[in-house]
Amino acid sequence: MEDLPIIQKTYDFIAWYAPILSRLPKTHKFTLGDRMLNRLYHILEGLITARYAKQKITILESLNTELDILRYQTRLLLDLHLIPIYRYEYAGKFINDIGTDLGGWLKQQKQR
């Protein structure tokens, strides 16, 4: 069985972002960094769970909120000068792509 594109994008995003978050200074690594990494894992787990769930809408709406929180946390990394602008832009593109796919999946489920 093939992965849904949103699951693969989220997996790829974690593979790219995890090393960056693990290199944050100690003052942020064990707070903001850990929260972000746990949120990413939670989003991936939620997407996989939603794939097999009969009632997907509640799960997907919750993940949409989680993704928005991640968006703000990423912006906070930039504002605190913890990541350069090019990494912020790349992360933002990933988050937006995942968000677009998630929004499409939600819309499709609501039309059923």
Side-chain angles (χ1 to χ4, degrees), residues 67-91:
L67 197 60
D68 202 33
I69 293 168
L70 185 65
R71 185 176 285 114
Y72 277 94
Q73 290 173 326
T74 298
R75 191 171 97 195
L76 190 57
L77 288 180
L78 178 70
D79 291 344
L80 294 173
H81 306 288
L82 297 170
I83 59 171
I85 188 78
Y86 73 92
R87 285 213 168 123
Y88 170 75
E89 290 170 346
Y90 192 74

mmCIF file of all heavy atoms in Angstrom, residues 67-91:
data_model
loop_
_atom_site.group_PDB
_atom_site.id
_atom_site.type_symbol
_atom_site.label_atom_id
_atom_site.label_comp_id
_atom_site.label_asym_id
_atom_site.label_seq_id
_atom_site.Cartn_x
_atom_site.Cartn_y
_atom_site.Cartn_z
ATOM 1 N N LEU A 67 -0.841 21.945 13.134
ATOM 2 C CA LEU A 67 -0.004 22.486 12.064
ATOM 3 C C LEU A 67 0.117 24.008 12.181
ATOM 4 O O LEU A 67 1.187 24.573 11.952
ATOM 5 C CB LEU A 67 -0.575 22.081 10.704
ATOM 6 C CG LEU A 67 0.347 22.208 9.507
ATOM 7 C CD1 LEU A 67 1.586 21.339 9.666
ATOM 8 C CD2 LEU A 67 -0.388 21.828 8.238
ATOM 9 N N ASP A 68 -0.962 24.661 12.556
ATOM 10 C CA ASP A 68 -0.927 26.108 12.732
ATOM 11 C C ASP A 68 -0.019 26.498 13.902
ATOM 12 O O ASP A 68 0.739 27.470 13.814
ATOM 13 C CB ASP A 68 -2.339 26.649 12.934
ATOM 14 C CG ASP A 68 -2.455 28.124 12.589
ATOM 15 O OD1 ASP A 68 -1.734 28.586 11.669
ATOM 16 O OD2 ASP A 68 -3.262 28.821 13.230
ATOM 17 N N ILE A 69 -0.073 25.743 14.983
ATOM 18 C CA ILE A 69 0.821 25.988 16.114
ATOM 19 C C ILE A 69 2.270 25.829 15.661
ATOM 20 O O ILE A 69 3.134 26.640 15.997
ATOM 21 C CB ILE A 69 0.495 25.049 17.291
ATOM 22 C CG1 ILE A 69 -0.877 25.387 17.865
ATOM 23 C CG2 ILE A 69 1.568 25.128 18.372
ATOM 24 C CD1 ILE A 69 -1.417 24.347 18.839
ATOM 25 N N LEU A 70 2.543 24.782 14.885
ATOM 26 C CA LEU A 70 3.892 24.558 14.363
ATOM 27 C C LEU A 70 4.344 25.730 13.500
ATOM 28 O O LEU A 70 5.508 26.138 13.543
ATOM 29 C CB LEU A 70 3.937 23.252 13.564
ATOM 30 C CG LEU A 70 5.304 22.830 13.071
ATOM 31 C CD1 LEU A 70 6.230 22.499 14.233
ATOM 32 C CD2 LEU A 70 5.175 21.640 12.143
ATOM 33 N N ARG A 71 3.433 26.297 12.737
ATOM 34 C CA ARG A 71 3.747 27.458 11.902
ATOM 35 C C ARG A 71 4.223 28.628 12.777
ATOM 36 O O ARG A 71 5.224 29.278 12.476
ATOM 37 C CB ARG A 71 2.517 27.833 11.079
ATOM 38 C CG ARG A 71 2.738 28.935 10.082
ATOM 39 C CD ARG A 71 1.486 29.193 9.233
ATOM 40 N NE ARG A 71 1.306 28.134 8.243
ATOM 41 C CZ ARG A 71 0.310 27.260 8.218
ATOM 42 N NH1 ARG A 71 -0.638 27.296 9.121
ATOM 43 N NH2 ARG A 71 0.229 26.354 7.276
ATOM 44 N N TYR A 72 3.522 28.877 13.867
ATOM 45 C CA TYR A 72 3.902 29.960 14.773
ATOM 46 C C TYR A 72 5.215 29.656 15.490
ATOM 47 O O TYR A 72 6.043 30.546 15.700
ATOM 48 C CB TYR A 72 2.792 30.231 15.785
ATOM 49 C CG TYR A 72 1.720 31.129 15.243
ATOM 50 C CD1 TYR A 72 0.573 30.605 14.655
ATOM 51 C CD2 TYR A 72 1.856 32.518 15.286
ATOM 52 C CE1 TYR A 72 -0.408 31.418 14.131
ATOM 53 C CE2 TYR A 72 0.880 33.343 14.771
ATOM 54 C CZ TYR A 72 -0.258 32.792 14.190
ATOM 55 O OH TYR A 72 -1.216 33.626 13.673
ATOM 56 N N GLN A 73 5.410 28.414 15.875
ATOM 57 C CA GLN A 73 6.664 28.043 16.532
ATOM 58 C C GLN A 73 7.849 28.221 15.593
ATOM 59 O O GLN A 73 8.918 28.658 16.014
ATOM 60 C CB GLN A 73 6.589 26.600 17.040
ATOM 61 C CG GLN A 73 5.653 26.441 18.211
ATOM 62 C CD GLN A 73 5.443 24.994 18.603
ATOM 63 O OE1 GLN A 73 5.427 24.100 17.754
ATOM 64 N NE2 GLN A 73 5.249 24.760 19.890
ATOM 65 N N THR A 74 7.649 27.910 14.333
ATOM 66 C CA THR A 74 8.715 28.095 13.346
ATOM 67 C C THR A 74 9.020 29.585 13.179
ATOM 68 O O THR A 74 10.187 29.982 13.095
ATOM 69 C CB THR A 74 8.324 27.448 12.005
ATOM 70 O OG1 THR A 74 8.147 26.041 12.213
ATOM 71 C CG2 THR A 74 9.383 27.663 10.946
ATOM 72 N N ARG A 75 7.976 30.394 13.154
ATOM 73 C CA ARG A 75 8.185 31.835 13.068
ATOM 74 C C ARG A 75 8.930 32.358 14.296
ATOM 75 O O ARG A 75 9.782 33.234 14.200
ATOM 76 C CB ARG A 75 6.850 32.552 12.906
ATOM 77 C CG ARG A 75 7.026 34.019 12.545
ATOM 78 C CD ARG A 75 5.716 34.639 12.185
ATOM 79 N NE ARG A 75 5.192 35.328 13.345
ATOM 80 C CZ ARG A 75 3.946 35.740 13.476
ATOM 81 N NH1 ARG A 75 3.054 35.487 12.532
ATOM 82 N NH2 ARG A 75 3.566 36.375 14.546
ATOM 83 N N LEU A 76 8.638 31.776 15.442
ATOM 84 C CA LEU A 76 9.333 32.153 16.666
ATOM 85 C C LEU A 76 10.826 31.833 16.570
ATOM 86 O O LEU A 76 11.665 32.625 17.018
ATOM 87 C CB LEU A 76 8.694 31.433 17.857
ATOM 88 C CG LEU A 76 9.116 31.862 19.242
ATOM 89 C CD1 LEU A 76 8.884 33.354 19.463
ATOM 90 C CD2 LEU A 76 8.360 31.055 20.286
ATOM 91 N N LEU A 77 11.164 30.702 15.965
ATOM 92 C CA LEU A 77 12.578 30.368 15.747
ATOM 93 C C LEU A 77 13.283 31.469 14.957
ATOM 94 O O LEU A 77 14.408 31.848 15.268
ATOM 95 C CB LEU A 77 12.721 29.039 14.999
ATOM 96 C CG LEU A 77 12.407 27.753 15.732
ATOM 97 C CD1 LEU A 77 12.608 26.564 14.798
ATOM 98 C CD2 LEU A 77 13.260 27.612 16.978
ATOM 99 N N LEU A 78 12.607 31.966 13.936
ATOM 100 C CA LEU A 78 13.183 33.039 13.122
ATOM 101 C C LEU A 78 13.310 34.320 13.943
ATOM 102 O O LEU A 78 14.374 34.947 13.956
ATOM 103 C CB LEU A 78 12.333 33.291 11.880
ATOM 104 C CG LEU A 78 12.818 34.439 10.989
ATOM 105 C CD1 LEU A 78 14.120 34.054 10.288
ATOM 106 C CD2 LEU A 78 11.753 34.816 9.973
ATOM 107 N N ASP A 79 12.256 34.695 14.646
ATOM 108 C CA ASP A 79 12.260 35.937 15.416
ATOM 109 C C ASP A 79 13.282 35.922 16.550
ATOM 110 O O ASP A 79 13.797 36.974 16.938
ATOM 111 C CB ASP A 79 10.865 36.234 15.967
ATOM 112 C CG ASP A 79 9.873 36.592 14.871
ATOM 113 O OD1 ASP A 79 10.308 36.909 13.743
ATOM 114 O OD2 ASP A 79 8.649 36.528 15.134
ATOM 115 N N LEU A 80 13.581 34.744 17.070
ATOM 116 C CA LEU A 80 14.600 34.607 18.112
ATOM 117 C C LEU A 80 16.000 34.416 17.527
ATOM 118 O O LEU A 80 16.953 34.177 18.264
ATOM 119 C CB LEU A 80 14.257 33.433 19.039
ATOM 120 C CG LEU A 80 12.990 33.589 19.877
ATOM 121 C CD1 LEU A 80 12.673 32.301 20.624
ATOM 122 C CD2 LEU A 80 13.125 34.758 20.853
ATOM 123 N N HIS A 81 16.093 34.501 16.212
ATOM 124 C CA HIS A 81 17.374 34.356 15.492
ATOM 125 C C HIS A 81 18.023 32.987 15.728
ATOM 126 O O HIS A 81 19.238 32.882 15.854
ATOM 127 C CB HIS A 81 18.342 35.485 15.871
ATOM 128 C CG HIS A 81 17.755 36.837 15.690
ATOM 129 N ND1 HIS A 81 17.531 37.386 14.452
ATOM 130 C CD2 HIS A 81 17.306 37.755 16.597
ATOM 131 C CE1 HIS A 81 16.984 38.578 14.593
ATOM 132 N NE2 HIS A 81 16.832 38.830 15.888
ATOM 133 N N LEU A 82 17.176 31.958 15.762
ATOM 134 C CA LEU A 82 17.661 30.602 15.969
ATOM 135 C C LEU A 82 17.808 29.830 14.660
ATOM 136 O O LEU A 82 18.462 28.786 14.637
ATOM 137 C CB LEU A 82 16.729 29.847 16.925
ATOM 138 C CG LEU A 82 16.649 30.450 18.334
ATOM 139 C CD1 LEU A 82 15.536 29.793 19.135
ATOM 140 C CD2 LEU A 82 17.989 30.319 19.050
ATOM 141 N N ILE A 83 17.167 30.312 13.605
ATOM 142 C CA ILE A 83 17.343 29.732 12.281
ATOM 143 C C ILE A 83 17.490 30.882 11.280
ATOM 144 O O ILE A 83 16.913 31.955 11.477
ATOM 145 C CB ILE A 83 16.175 28.793 11.859
ATOM 146 C CG1 ILE A 83 14.832 29.532 11.856
ATOM 147 C CG2 ILE A 83 16.145 27.537 12.695
ATOM 148 C CD1 ILE A 83 13.687 28.729 11.242
ATOM 149 N N PRO A 84 18.237 30.639 10.212
ATOM 150 C CA PRO A 84 18.360 31.676 9.173
ATOM 151 C C PRO A 84 17.089 31.744 8.325
ATOM 152 O O PRO A 84 16.288 30.803 8.284
ATOM 153 C CB PRO A 84 19.559 31.209 8.344
ATOM 154 C CG PRO A 84 19.696 29.750 8.612
ATOM 155 C CD PRO A 84 19.111 29.494 9.964
ATOM 156 N N ILE A 85 16.938 32.840 7.639
ATOM 157 C CA ILE A 85 15.735 33.098 6.832
ATOM 158 C C ILE A 85 15.506 32.016 5.781
ATOM 159 O O ILE A 85 14.359 31.617 5.548
ATOM 160 C CB ILE A 85 15.780 34.508 6.181
ATOM 161 C CG1 ILE A 85 14.453 34.854 5.503
ATOM 162 C CG2 ILE A 85 16.910 34.645 5.201
ATOM 163 C CD1 ILE A 85 13.375 35.281 6.428
ATOM 164 N N TYR A 86 16.564 31.504 5.162
ATOM 165 C CA TYR A 86 16.369 30.497 4.111
ATOM 166 C C TYR A 86 15.787 29.205 4.684
ATOM 167 O O TYR A 86 14.994 28.539 4.023
ATOM 168 C CB TYR A 86 17.652 30.239 3.313
ATOM 169 C CG TYR A 86 18.729 29.463 4.043
ATOM 170 C CD1 TYR A 86 18.807 28.079 3.943
ATOM 171 C CD2 TYR A 86 19.687 30.119 4.823
ATOM 172 C CE1 TYR A 86 19.791 27.359 4.598
ATOM 173 C CE2 TYR A 86 20.676 29.411 5.487
ATOM 174 C CZ TYR A 86 20.725 28.038 5.370
ATOM 175 O OH TYR A 86 21.692 27.326 6.022
ATOM 176 N N ARG A 87 16.147 28.862 5.910
ATOM 177 C CA ARG A 87 15.553 27.663 6.529
ATOM 178 C C ARG A 87 14.109 27.931 6.926
ATOM 179 O O ARG A 87 13.256 27.055 6.822
ATOM 180 C CB ARG A 87 16.360 27.235 7.751
ATOM 181 C CG ARG A 87 17.654 26.565 7.358
ATOM 182 C CD ARG A 87 18.050 25.504 8.348
ATOM 183 N NE ARG A 87 19.115 24.711 7.790
ATOM 184 C CZ ARG A 87 20.289 24.543 8.361
ATOM 185 N NH1 ARG A 87 20.554 25.113 9.512
ATOM 186 N NH2 ARG A 87 21.193 23.795 7.779
ATOM 187 N N TYR A 88 13.842 29.139 7.386
ATOM 188 C CA TYR A 88 12.472 29.518 7.728
ATOM 189 C C TYR A 88 11.583 29.435 6.486
ATOM 190 O O TYR A 88 10.476 28.901 6.540
ATOM 191 C CB TYR A 88 12.450 30.929 8.317
ATOM 192 C CG TYR A 88 11.063 31.494 8.479
ATOM 193 C CD1 TYR A 88 10.232 31.046 9.504
ATOM 194 C CD2 TYR A 88 10.580 32.455 7.604
ATOM 195 C CE1 TYR A 88 8.951 31.549 9.654
ATOM 196 C CE2 TYR A 88 9.300 32.962 7.751
ATOM 197 C CZ TYR A 88 8.494 32.512 8.769
ATOM 198 O OH TYR A 88 7.220 33.004 8.913
ATOM 199 N N GLU A 89 12.069 29.950 5.379
ATOM 200 C CA GLU A 89 11.292 29.925 4.135
ATOM 201 C C GLU A 89 11.055 28.493 3.666
ATOM 202 O O GLU A 89 9.961 28.148 3.216
ATOM 203 C CB GLU A 89 11.996 30.733 3.052
ATOM 204 C CG GLU A 89 11.964 32.228 3.321
ATOM 205 C CD GLU A 89 12.851 33.044 2.389
ATOM 206 O OE1 GLU A 89 13.718 32.454 1.690
ATOM 207 O OE2 GLU A 89 12.696 34.278 2.383
ATOM 208 N N TYR A 90 12.082 27.656 3.767
ATOM 209 C CA TYR A 90 11.949 26.262 3.349
ATOM 210 C C TYR A 90 10.956 25.525 4.244
ATOM 211 O O TYR A 90 10.085 24.786 3.763
ATOM 212 C CB TYR A 90 13.320 25.574 3.369
ATOM 213 C CG TYR A 90 13.342 24.230 2.688
ATOM 214 C CD1 TYR A 90 13.309 24.132 1.299
ATOM 215 C CD2 TYR A 90 13.398 23.057 3.421
ATOM 216 C CE1 TYR A 90 13.328 22.900 0.666
ATOM 217 C CE2 TYR A 90 13.421 21.813 2.808
ATOM 218 C CZ TYR A 90 13.391 21.748 1.426
ATOM 219 O OH TYR A 90 13.407 20.520 0.804
ATOM 220 N N ALA A 91 11.064 25.731 5.563
ATOM 221 C CA ALA A 91 10.131 25.116 6.506
ATOM 222 C C ALA A 91 8.714 25.617 6.243
ATOM 223 O O ALA A 91 7.757 24.830 6.264
ATOM 224 C CB ALA A 91 10.545 25.417 7.945
#
